[in-house]
Amino acid sequence: MENYQHAVFFEAKNLSDVELGRIHKYFQIKRKSGGGDCEINKISDDIYKISFISKKSLTGFFLPNSKEKVNDQTFLLTQVTWCILGPLGVWQKLPTDINYKLEKTDVKDGIVDAQGVKWTVNLREMEATSCDSGQVTALKRLENLPDFDLPIYWDNMSQSDTLQVIDLDPSSTEYQTIQRIQNMNVRQLYEVRKKELKNKNGLVGAAEKILYHGISEASCSAIMKSSFNCNLAGQNATLYGHGTYFAVNASYSASPTYAIPAADGTQLMFVACVLTGHHTQGQADLKAPPVRVAPDHLCDSVVDNMQNPLILLCHDKSSKQASDTTQHQEEAGGVAMETTACNMSRSKTQHNNRIKMENYQYAVFFEARSLSDEELRQIQKYFRIRKKSGGGDCEIDKVGNNTYKIGFMSEAAQVRVLDKKDHVISIEGQEEIHVSLRRENVTETSKQPTASANQKYASAKSVEKVFKLDHYLLLFLSECKKAHSDLEKQLSVISSTFEIKMLMSGDIESDELVVRRDPAANVVCPLEKWEFQVDQVIEKLNSQYTLHFEVESDKSAILQQNSFLESDNLKIFYEKLTSLAVVVGEQKQVEKMLNFVSGLQNKQQIQQECCVSEKQFDLIKEQFESYAEANLPALKITQERAGVLLLKGPEKEVHAGEQKLFKLAEGIKEKRIPSHRTLITFLESSGCIQHFQNRFQQRLCSPVMLETSNSGLLLLSLSDGALEEAAAAVQRDVFLETVRLENTHKSSAFTKLKDDLSEAVKQANRESVKVELKYQDESSSDAKVQLVGYTTEVSKLKDIVLEYKRNHQNHHAYLPLPRPEMAEHFPKILAMAGMKKSSVNIKPTCLPSPCVHLTGPRCEVESLKDSLESFIQSLATKECEVKGPGAQQFFQSEGAETLKLMTNSGSVLILPINEEHKMSQRGKIPKYTSTLSLHNFPFTASSRDSLDSLDSVVSMDSTDSLDNEINIKADVFVAPMIQTNMTSTLIGSSLLNKGGQQLQNNFNNAKGRHTLKPGDVLEVDATRALGCSKVFFIECAPKGNKHISEKALSSGLGRVFQLCEQNSLGSVALPVLGPGIVLSIPVKDAVNILTTEICKFLSGPTGQLHTICIPIMPNYPTSEEMFQTVHGNLSAKMVDNTGQALFQSLTSDLDEIIMIVDGIEVHLVFGDITNETTDAVVNTTDFKDFQTAAQVASGQIFTTPPGGFPCRTIMHVCGQRDPGVIKTLAKKIVVQCEQGRYRSVAIPAICAGQGGLDPSVVAKSILEGLKEGIQGANLQHLKNIRIILLKINVFLEFKATALQIFGVSSLLTAPAPLVPTSATRRGRSATTSGHWASTRMSRSHSLPGNIDLNSLVTSLPDTESKAAFLIIGYSNAEVSDACRELKRAYDNQCSTQTFSPYEVRCLTQDAMNQLLSTVDLLHLQLETNNSEELVVKGLKDGVNEVVKLTKDAVLRQSREKDEDLLFAKVTWCVLGLHGVWQKVPKDLNYKLEKKDVKDGFVDAQGVKWTVDLQKMEATSCDSGQVTALKRLENLSDFALPIYWDNMSQSDSLKVIDLDQSSAEYKTVKADFKKTVKKTVLKIQRIQNINLRRLYEVRKKELENKNGSVGAAEKILYHGTSEASCSAIMKTNFNRSLAGQNATLYGHGTYFAVHASYSANPTYAVPAADGTQCMFVARVLTGDHALGQMDIKTPPVRVAPDHLYDSVVDNMQNPSMFVVFHDCQAYPDYLITFK
């Protein structure tokens, strides 16, 4: 976390890792939080710390004591630093957790500092008290800025303060005149520069130092505000450059020259923090530090002396840029100076130590000149040791220019050190320091300075300084007048002279240069400054002149031969004994002369390249060098490049050397050994060549060299014998071996082999590389291991590989099993045995006898077989049978958990016993099952018309193949081919893609060189990816001759069955071959060939083949035809001519699925909906051909009569290709069927056909809609829902979706009846199942009262079943206990229930059918007892289901009686959508009357309503629509019409004014206004019970009399006067008044079809106010005839007593009806208009 230094804190409770991750992510996103790169740590129970790399990250979101909310956690972000004053008076930061507690004032338990000391805290006094010593110290709180942390020794500052000057500790005599400057702006720039230098300078860093700077009082304010100004450089001196000068010792800055005294004599000095960084020697007038590495990489500061610096300077790049000091510092690389964190001292201030000196009161003094810090430490250490000095605990401080004070805590120590007075202090590596102590401090004026290490003092008036310079440089100064003169001039400037002292003895180590100072200059220039200036002169001297030592003899000779090269300013000195030449002079002149000498040397030499390899030269090197040393001394030999030597020297020697070299090379013998490139690579990379060369060097008479090339290994030697011996050794000792793994690399142990080989290689190569290995072709069947190296090591690795091959080559063994169940459930046996997973392939089989085939590595197979054989022999086994109704089903459902628990206990293994295996154990051969399996193979072809079957051509795109979908669940798969080409058909190509290249190899191996004829079969071993063991390819004849093609296919299929028997194969997958474009055999003919060959095979003697699977792909135009044809053919041929069954059962993936949902059966049926006989049938349509289409809203159901369809109603729906609409429709279908009391309904796949929706989407919508409609609805009528699916792919999608929605336990399979009655068997017969299935679809009728229960029970199939198990355990006792536990578990789940004859008679026919269906589906047993009661036995859930069904039937019958009685007395109505009152159903009528409406009700349209009986309102749950309710109390002989208001029995007449806003008013008015334009004033409804009762009696009379014509009720109009209205309303229309207006059509009551006729004032006589009256009447017109003048009764219709019911004015288009019976019309409404 050191990079993440800028921290904030927050509190939170128990954050998870996920929550911390989200918080971390939030604060890393700058746009969200304002933060940046950060880390989060938990620092205590509920406190977390967020640390940022950049302080700027805090500014985006941080304010002191602000709050930020992230992920519902509140974070308190603080930026406060709490400090504690340490034992030495230095402020220290407190840890982050303590910092947080102090800020939160959570300090009741105190705090623990960094040293582990515990403190109690008093925040009011800002003090802390040590719990151990009682010491009291101060606390301090600093509020940092977002972009700047206050230094911990500062006092706190607000954000508005930029500068504070603090007087330090006014009560202290030592520090009473010291002030601290706190300038945040300057300090911030200082910290930035400090960080910059740390990053730039690496280990050196910023090199921060505490230095001194004297200043005048006038300049103090400016420095405190804006720091030191580089532009003021040169005011006092520019000896080391233009910059700001700082002194190491305060005494230097205290000089009045720098700390200029004020009027009162006081002086000022800054104690500054200075970043010195990399420093170098300063120079006069230097305006920027010198270059350090590159022009843009300067030093950071300069000093006066590199060995012992006293002055440091910060330079500015340009004095003209003084206004922006930050810029200058960055450009020049100068030192940043801290003025804000410095101390300003008045006269006595020497350093920044805060320790108070009052504890060290007993002082002594001594004088010394410029002691270093190290020397002061040594002196202090000396005086602290009492045995050495007599002193004790003390402190040393400098109190004057050359005066030091030692303060002791003890007076005794002061006395002891003064007793000795003169002390000598030894420092390792330096001269001794002599200290003379005195009690009093005296002035420095009379004191003599002490000698430094490199100074000698001749007298009190003269000073000299000695320099050890190079001997030849001193010679040069002595002989070169110009150099001597220049040095004199430079020293004279500083009032000095020099002397060169060179001893005659020749000891150059004693040579020296002595510089003497003129005694008169002591007053002008201080000694320190003079010394510094002298050092500068000598250093410049060293850098000005260069010394070159020439060691090459030829160049030295050239220098001696060319004396003209020497000049006044360039001298050459020679050493006679070594022939060494030393050139001294200025650098440029020396370089110029040396270049000239090199040119002369090159002109005198030649060079020659010789093509000799390095190995060849090594053989002759010794001879050649010996010859050259003796005869060619100037010849130089170098290796120019590979294979080339360069001879360089005098021409004569070069030519002689070349001839000698070639002569020797001609004697080299060669021998080439051809080698594999891998071996050559090993020799080159392993060091093997060098090994051989060293060996040959030691053992052979002549050296042998080895070279490698692409073609092999080349051996070189000067001896033929050595060459032959070396070649034999190389061929013997290194070897390349390749070992084939032969498929053993596929073993799981191959990884271990790799590890073993790797370890062996590692051991062999411990000291040097001796062997290497490489794996080749690991992914193929021909994997290899390549070994290369020393023969011994290669042999060892080869032995490891061969041993692995022997143990892991494929081996086969079989282990016989005592029971077939063990083979079926062998993985459980393995689990029981605790066998670990291995690479052995374990394949159990039941046929021809139960055994286990073990295939795998030999070692593992043999070991596993022995272990398994021993384990199986130790097991105890026993057969256990549990008998009773539903026993087998119990252990397949609820009892499965019992089996699982018992098995999981680990003591026993329980395996179900297969009856067929039991038969085979007794020597009986079972009949065979032909499985019509529909595998889901989605297929996409470019042309559906050209792809009708599996044998389509291979020219289709490979992506359209079946390879990713083929899932063969059989021992052998049959495929067609043409001309012995596996990929000539689509199925062949798909098999190849699925099986891989290995299948093609197997095919080619099986084919060999054989030529197949049409009808032949090629046996090919399958690969593991296919899931079968064999693939039989039938050689077919291509299309052209139908007879030959069919014959070849028939012959091939027959051969397939023969091969299955010969190979003891138990199952075969046979697709329908032929309908594709390759063979072009019609579907029916291809199916006939297949089914004929199947039946031919099954009619003869058979052996091992027990299952025939016929895969048919969905999604094809011929898929359904193919399935129906195969199904029909096999069903028809199930029984042969002798009455024997050819096969036992025929099953398919399309068997009917039954799901029980809340007692309701939901069936998935593959078939045609036009064959259904349910009560309701759903038709999917787009309503384009319906005239009422505009009236059918989205998601609504439109019902019509069935017409000739065998159902009660047809429901028309439109799914609109919307899954949501389809789901709603499915739910409404359930609701509407229940309201219509329909027992069964058939539903198609809405929108899955022409609608084009994906079948899976449709299936999900319909099944979820049905589930929601059924669950919780307590359906009383609807019991059977059948989903009819016409397409195979749609059925399969519905089946899969049903499995997801309803689960496996709710799905039951009901196969179609195939076995005829003559083929008897125990259990539920197919014929009986078919009977009950048809019964379920019949209409609901009551059972006869005299039902014969005995006959009913006798007709039922025997449902008692048994569950047989093989129990395997470790002991007989455990096995016996398990048998008892199984029987007990079954008995605990069984129950018996008895039903009385009355309860049975309460069942309707539908209820009885449902009961019998439940008994059949849930495997219950029915019987009768002596009391003629019905007894149901079986599993509890099934029995309870029957009990519930029976009780519901009894309660329903009782409830229906109550509902019927109530419905006759009270009628509840609801106001419909169009304002028309509707009667509610009987059950809802009953609920409303009983006020049982807390759950609301659902109307005929499927809309749910809530009810408020107080307001007589109902509210729609979907739309919120509010409608009215109404309750009518009927008379015993008369039911009020539903649009009437309620009337009591005492009321005979009620006239109701209609509300003009009501739909009833608007309807009557609209019909009136169709022909009348006058204004309607009011409409009144007439409710006359007596008249309406007579009218209803007459209406029923006419309906009974007239048959299909019925009463022919019509709404007609009758105008009258206001005076007649009251009489009509009370006594009805009076035909005795006929003739008042006209009797043109007889003496009767006249009614007009159109209101306009009756509105005539002749009939509707206006009142005094002009208003008119007209009745809207209900008129029973019945059979009518043409009226005649003055008739008083209708004309005769058939006989004198059989008259017409009314007459009209026109038979074709009557506008008027006349009735002659007073009760044949009823005044329904009275309209008053004007």
Side-chain angles (χ1 to χ4, degrees), residues 220 393 478 528 666 810 862 987 1193 1204 1266 1294 1416 1426 1653:
C220 279
D393 192 8
S478 300
E528 293 91 342
E666 288 174 358
N810 211 33
E862 293 177 351
I987 186 84
L1266 292 176
F1294 267 79
D1416 188 32
N1426 295 332
Y1653 188 94

Side-chain angles (χ1 to χ4, degrees), residues 557-776:
I558 293 173
L559 289 172
Q560 288 183 0
Q561 295 169 5
N562 297 275
S563 59
F564 67 88
L565 295 174
E566 193 172 4
S567 66
D568 292 340
N569 297 324
L570 186 67
K571 299 296 179 181
I572 304 174
F573 306 100
Y574 301 100
E575 291 187 1
K576 296 179 181 180
L577 295 178
T578 61
S579 299
L580 178 70
V582 181
V583 182
V584 184
E586 293 186 354
Q587 184 174 357
K588 291 183 180 180
Q589 292 179 333
V590 172
E591 291 177 354
K592 183 178 179 181
M593 187 196 71
L594 293 177
N595 291 334
F596 177 76
V597 171
S598 297
L600 288 176
Q601 182 189 31
N602 293 332
K603 287 180 181 179
Q604 297 174 3
Q605 294 182 340
I606 67 168
Q607 58 185 27
Q608 179 65 43
E609 291 184 352
C610 299
C611 295
V612 178
S613 71
E614 183 181 355
K615 300 291 184 182
Q616 290 175 324
F617 185 67
D618 287 342
L619 288 172
I620 61 176
K621 182 177 181 180
E622 185 177 351
Q623 300 177 46
F624 182 77
E625 287 182 347
S626 177
Y627 170 79
E629 185 178 354
N631 302 294
L632 310 172
L635 183 66
K636 294 182 179 179
I637 307 168
T638 58
Q639 185 79 40
E640 181 70 12
R641 55 185 183 276
V644 177
L645 288 178
L646 184 66
L647 304 182
K648 190 174 181 181
E651 182 178 0
K652 184 177 178 180
E653 292 189 10
V654 168
H655 290 317
E658 182 183 13
Q659 292 175 3
K660 182 63 176 179
L661 189 64
F662 284 138
K663 184 177 180 180
L664 293 173
E666 288 174 358
I668 297 175
K669 315 296 182 183
E670 294 184 358
K671 184 175 182 63
R672 190 173 298 276
I673 303 176
S675 304
H676 193 277
R677 184 61 204 167
T678 302
L679 186 58
I680 296 299
T681 303
F682 172 77
L683 291 172
E684 292 173 342
S685 62
S686 64
C688 189
I689 290 178
Q690 188 62 43
H691 166 76
F692 277 116
Q693 288 180 169
N694 294 338
R695 198 172 92 184
F696 297 156
Q697 182 79 23
Q698 296 171 3
R699 299 184 181 181
L700 300 181
C701 60
S702 178
V704 179
M705 295 294 167
L706 285 75
E707 289 185 352
T708 59
S709 65
N710 291 330
S711 59
L713 181 66
L714 181 65
L715 276 65
L716 307 171
S717 179
L718 298 174
S719 168
D720 289 331
L723 200 63
E724 293 298 329
E725 191 174 348
V730 170
Q731 291 175 316
R732 180 185 65 248
D733 291 350
V734 291
F735 191 61
L736 172 66
E737 178 79 23
T738 301
V739 184
R740 296 183 181 276
L741 294 176
E742 298 176 2
N743 281 326
T744 58
H745 65 291
K746 297 180 180 179
S747 168
S748 60
F750 185 56
T751 302
K752 186 177 185 305
L753 171 66
K754 284 187 172 183
D755 294 340
D756 292 344
L757 290 175
S758 177
E759 182 61 28
V761 170
K762 184 178 178 181
Q763 291 296 324
N765 296 338
R766 279 180 300 177
E767 297 179 356
S768 62
V769 178
K770 294 183 178 180
V771 68
E772 292 178 353
L773 69 82
K774 181 181 179 183
Y775 300 96
Q776 298 178 336

Side-chain angles (χ1 to χ4, degrees), residues 1273-1427:
N1274 192 23
L1275 302 179
Q1276 301 298 321
H1277 305 290
L1278 182 62
K1279 297 299 178 184
N1280 194 320
I1281 300 173
R1282 294 171 62 80
I1283 303 174
I1284 314 300
L1285 308 164
L1286 187 61
K1287 302 292 288 184
I1288 293 176
N1289 63 312
V1290 178
F1291 180 89
L1292 295 176
E1293 288 290 355
F1294 267 79
K1295 183 177 178 180
T1297 306
L1299 187 65
Q1300 296 174 3
I1301 294 177
F1302 299 105
V1304 180
S1305 59
S1306 63
L1307 269 63
L1308 301 171
T1309 303
L1314 295 175
V1315 182
T1317 309
S1318 59
T1320 59
R1321 58 189 174 95
R1322 290 188 63 79
R1324 183 175 51 185
S1325 70
T1327 306
T1328 307
S1329 298
H1331 168 74
W1332 295 125
S1334 62
T1335 304
R1336 283 198 300 271
M1337 294 183 290
S1338 63
R1339 306 286 172 80
S1340 175
H1341 300 288
S1342 299
L1343 289 175
N1346 57 348
I1347 182 172
D1348 187 354
L1349 294 179
N1350 290 323
S1351 300
L1352 176 64
V1353 171
T1354 304
S1355 66
L1356 295 176
D1358 182 9
T1359 57
E1360 182 175 21
S1361 66
K1362 64 180 179 181
F1365 300 97
L1366 175 66
I1367 303 180
I1368 303 173
Y1370 299 108
S1371 66
N1372 290 324
E1374 292 175 335
V1375 170
S1376 299
D1377 290 343
C1379 287
R1380 288 191 292 271
E1381 180 63 23
L1382 288 178
K1383 292 177 181 179
R1384 184 192 63 77
Y1386 169 73
D1387 292 340
N1388 288 344
Q1389 290 299 317
C1390 289
S1391 68
T1392 301
Q1393 189 68 37
T1394 303
F1395 300 96
S1396 66
Y1398 166 74
E1399 291 176 313
V1400 176
R1401 283 193 294 273
C1402 286
L1403 298 172
T1404 63
Q1405 183 65 53
D1406 282 341
M1408 177 56 76
N1409 290 342
Q1410 189 174 358
L1411 184 146
L1412 296 176
S1413 176
T1414 303
V1415 168
D1416 188 32
L1417 290 174
L1418 301 182
H1419 306 278
L1420 303 176
Q1421 182 178 330
L1422 286 182
E1423 59 184 32
T1424 56
N1425 58 17
N1426 295 332
S1427 303

Side-chain angles (χ1 to χ4, degrees), residues 114 221 241 292 356 400 444 588 729 775 838 887 980 1012 1305 1344 1347 1478 1515 1528 1643:
S221 176
R292 179 179 165 222
K356 298 181 179 180
E444 304 173 55
K588 291 183 180 180
Y775 300 96
S838 69
T980 322
L1012 301 181
S1305 59
I1347 182 172
Q1478 300 172 356
T1515 304
L1528 301 176
H1643 290 273

